[in-house]
């Protein structure tokens, strides 16, 4: 009697984030058992994976484990329990601006958090002989002040505590690969966005404001440096690149980007124009959103990923802007409807109260 081959097990730190949600979807579709690490917070953070949790219930393909990257003991316990084949380290304090306010915490989660994962997996492999493939979420921020285009051979010049911490994690990965033969890939990903992007990153901040201004829920949008240029792609494409890296015979490092850069101003113009609004009437410049040191221009040269991984981006810059604006226009309309229903209920209650 033949037995079905065991399902591959993936462990994802940062599963509740933008990338974690897209990655879970593609791994579940490929038939993986997906395990996610989630930290305890005072409010629920599973909104991005809610539908996956509902759908996956029953066949057990998606499991969530409480674990904070600051806590080695819980991390090691989860690794023992899950016995993963692939580990994707996506967890991070990922906001560059915030890292200037919380440098020590950022370094702890981003740099030491990665080290805790690599070291736990090194011991796990020594003890069990189980080979694990590891993806480390590196960032184009590590290039910082280095002029574009940036490729795998461009030297790092990080410009924030976040970027310095990501560079440390990158070199920990290289060191664990060279010292212990661990299979670790550094993905050096340029900015990638989606309707699931956190609201305090500039693209989502803009598209959310566009939706709300159009619906009459907000009038102004305060932004910082409009001249910064970024290489913006669609997050769904980028998580596919992460998976492809771990399917190669040998571990390596890869730049993932579209090869185009655009300014924040261009993003603003396109986003407002998509709903026939003039951005100049709504955008205000606020010094609070400038950073002590800026990264002026990021543009990725992903030739190696194209050649080795067969990876190419599928979504153009204007398509990305449109799809994000459309999603936020729909959200704002729902918000407006709920606000209307709420004030209707409030007015009804006031009138009812007047009668007694
Ligand atoms: P994100 O939306 O900010 O998600 C970050 C995830 O990390 C969330 O699930 C968050 O949990 C979790 N996390 C934060 N601190 C943690 C801790 N102490 N212990 C355990 N989990 C913790 O980020 P993303 O955009 O998906 O990015 C994924 C990774 O790629 C990050 O490492 C980011 O730095 C890196 N990256 C992103 C981009 C990009 O453009 N998106 C580009 C290059 C590299 P909560 O839900 O509880 O907050
Ligand atoms: N967040 C934010 N808010 N950024 C603003 C604003 C604002 O109001 N106004 C202008 N900007 C500028 C920032 O100064 C920066 O130059 C640019 O917009 C992009 O900022 P973010 O969207 O916050 O992204 P990031 O490029 O700093 O970092 C993102 O991409 C990295 C990869 O290059 C994050 O996702 C990082 O985690 C990721 O590693």
């Amino acid at each position: 009697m033949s037995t079905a081959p065991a399902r591959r097990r993936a462990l994802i730190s940062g599963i509740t984030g933008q990338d974690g949600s897209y990655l879970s979807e593609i791994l579940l579709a490929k038939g993986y058992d997906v395990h996610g690490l989630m930290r305890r917070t005072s409010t629920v953070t599973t909104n991005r994976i809610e539908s996956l949790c509902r759908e996956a219930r029953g066949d057990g393909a998606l499991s969530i484990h409480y674990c904070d990257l600051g806590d080695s003991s819980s991390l090691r316990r989860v690794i023992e329990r899950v016995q993963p084949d692939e580990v994707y380290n996506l967890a991070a304090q990922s906001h560059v601006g915030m890292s200037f306010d919380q440098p020590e915490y950022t370094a702890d989660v981003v740099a030491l958090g990665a080290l805790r994962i690599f070291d736990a997996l090194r011991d796990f492999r020594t003890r069990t002989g189980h080979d694990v493939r590891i993806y480390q979420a590196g960032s184009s921020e590590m290039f910082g002040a280095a002029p574009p285009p940036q490729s795998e051979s461009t030297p790092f010049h990080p410009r924030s505590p976040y970027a310095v911490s990501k560079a440390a994690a990158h070199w920990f990965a290289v060191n664990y690969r060279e010292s212990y033969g661990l299979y670790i890939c550094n993905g050096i990903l340029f900015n990638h966005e989606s309707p699931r992007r956190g609201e305090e990153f500039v693209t989502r901040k803009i598209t959310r404001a566009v939706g709300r201004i159009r619906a009459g829920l907000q009038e102004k949008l305060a932004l910082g440096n409009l001249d910064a240029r970024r290489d913006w792609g669609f997050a769904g494409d980028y998580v596919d690149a992460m998976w492809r890296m771990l399917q190669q015979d040998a571990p390596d490092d890869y730049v993932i980007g579209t090869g185009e850069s655009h300014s924040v101003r261009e993003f603003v113009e396109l986003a407002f124009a998509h709903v026939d609004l003039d951005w100049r009437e709504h955008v205000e410049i606020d010094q609070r959103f400038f950073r002590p040191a800026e990264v002026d221009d990021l543009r990725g040269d992903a030739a190696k990923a194209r050649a080795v991984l067969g990876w190419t981006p599928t979504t153009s810059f204007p398509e990305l802007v449109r799809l994000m604006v459309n999603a936020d226009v729909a959200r704002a309309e729902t918000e407006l409807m709920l606000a209307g229903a709420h004030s209707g209920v409030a007015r009804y209650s006031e009138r009812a109260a007047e009668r007694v």
Side-chain angles (χ1 to χ4, degrees):
M1 199 176 75
S2 67
T3 50
R7 291 154 70 112
R8 289 187 71 71
R9 284 185 300 274
L11 180 61
I12 304 175
S13 77
I15 195 165
T16 55
Q18 171 190 256
D19 290 6
S21 68
Y22 282 108
L23 180 63
S24 303
E25 282 171 14
I26 70 160
L27 294 179
L28 288 168
K30 288 179 193 298
Y32 279 69
D33 271 343
V34 174
H35 296 259
L37 299 184
M38 191 175 116
R39 61 180 171 160
R40 195 265 159 188
T41 49
S42 66
T43 49
V44 176
T45 56
T46 48
N47 56 316
R48 293 185 178 106
I49 53 168
E50 225 157 61
S51 61
L52 291 181
C53 291
R54 268 199 310 273
E55 286 157 20
R57 215 171 277 157
D59 69 1
L62 178 66
S63 316
I64 300 294
H65 309 263
Y66 277 105
C67 174
D68 192 298
L69 277 205
D71 179 34
S72 293
S73 53
S74 60
L75 180 62
R76 285 171 178 263
R77 264 197 304 278
V78 174
I79 289 170
E80 287 297 328
R81 198 175 315 145
V82 173
Q83 310 248 320
D85 301 301
E86 296 176 11
V87 174
Y88 295 85
N89 179 30
L90 309 184
Q93 188 303 90
S94 70
H95 197 276
V96 173
M98 183 59 70
S99 78
F100 289 98
D101 295 326
Q102 299 189 344
E104 190 180 332
Y105 171 70
T106 302
D108 189 44
V109 178
V110 175
L112 294 182
L115 177 62
R116 289 181 189 109
I117 289 192
F118 304 154
D119 208 53
L121 290 168
R122 167 191 164 203
D123 289 349
F124 171 69
R125 194 197 52 177
T126 305
R127 226 178 34 69
T128 63
H130 189 87
D131 260 321
V132 189
R133 296 187 170 201
I134 308 161
Y135 172 83
Q136 165 56 24
S139 164
S140 53
E141 278 288 304
M142 298 186 297
F143 294 124
Q150 294 95 356
S151 72
E152 293 81 4
S153 57
T154 305
F156 296 153
H157 184 153
R159 299 265 289 167
S160 64
Y162 167 82
V164 172
S165 306
K166 281 289 182 190
H170 175 99
W171 287 113
F172 280 136
V174 172
N175 182 245
Y176 270 58
R177 202 160 65 197
E178 292 174 354
S179 306
Y180 310 115
L182 275 192
Y183 186 115
I184 312 183
C185 294
N186 284 300
I188 308 177
L189 273 51
F190 284 62
N191 299 48
H192 44 279
E193 318 293 314
S194 73
R196 297 183 203 169
R197 185 59 143 151
E199 288 167 13
E200 66 293 275
F201 297 96
V202 78
T203 54
R204 190 64 213 297
K205 186 172 167 183
I206 296 165
T207 59
R208 182 165 181 269
V210 166
R212 299 186 85 246
I213 289 169
R214 182 179 169 278
L217 290 161
Q218 165 178 345
E219 256 189 46
K220 298 290 180 193
L221 165 64
L223 291 173
N225 180 12
L226 301 186
D227 295 321
R229 300 182 70 84
R230 290 290 181 275
D231 177 340
W232 280 296
F234 171 59
D237 292 342
Y238 287 53
V239 299
D240 171 56
M242 296 174 187
W243 176 78
R244 285 174 189 246
M245 287 179 210
L246 296 200
Q247 312 314 310
Q248 306 306 307
D249 289 339
D252 207 343
D253 304 332
Y254 299 91
V255 157
I256 302 294
T258 70
E260 269 183 37
S261 80
H262 298 272
S263 66
V264 174
R265 183 178 285 97
E266 284 174 72
F267 195 106
V268 168
E269 280 169 3
L270 267 187
F272 278 83
H274 184 51
V275 294
D276 297 324
L277 287 171
D278 182 352
W279 69 278
R280 286 175 202 81
E281 291 171 13
H282 300 282
V283 172
E284 294 174 338
I285 301 302
D286 187 328
Q287 292 304 316
R288 280 183 305 148
F289 299 112
F290 283 76
R291 293 167 183 179
E294 179 60 282
V295 169
D296 295 325
D297 198 355
L298 292 175
R299 177 159 49 90
D301 171 0
K304 178 174 168 184
R306 259 198 316 278
V308 179
L309 307 177
W311 180 85
T312 46
T314 64
T315 310
S316 71
F317 177 67
E319 282 165 355
L320 177 66
V321 176
R322 280 197 297 271
L323 84 89
M324 289 180 71
V325 171
N326 289 343
D328 274 320
V329 162
R331 282 188 182 116
E333 280 166 4
T334 307
E335 192 185 337
L336 188 63
M337 209 171 64
L338 290 174
H342 184 73
S343 67
V345 170
R347 275 199 304 276
Y348 176 81
S349 312
E350 275 164 29
R351 282 200 301 273
E354 280 161 13
R355 284 200 292 271
V356 291

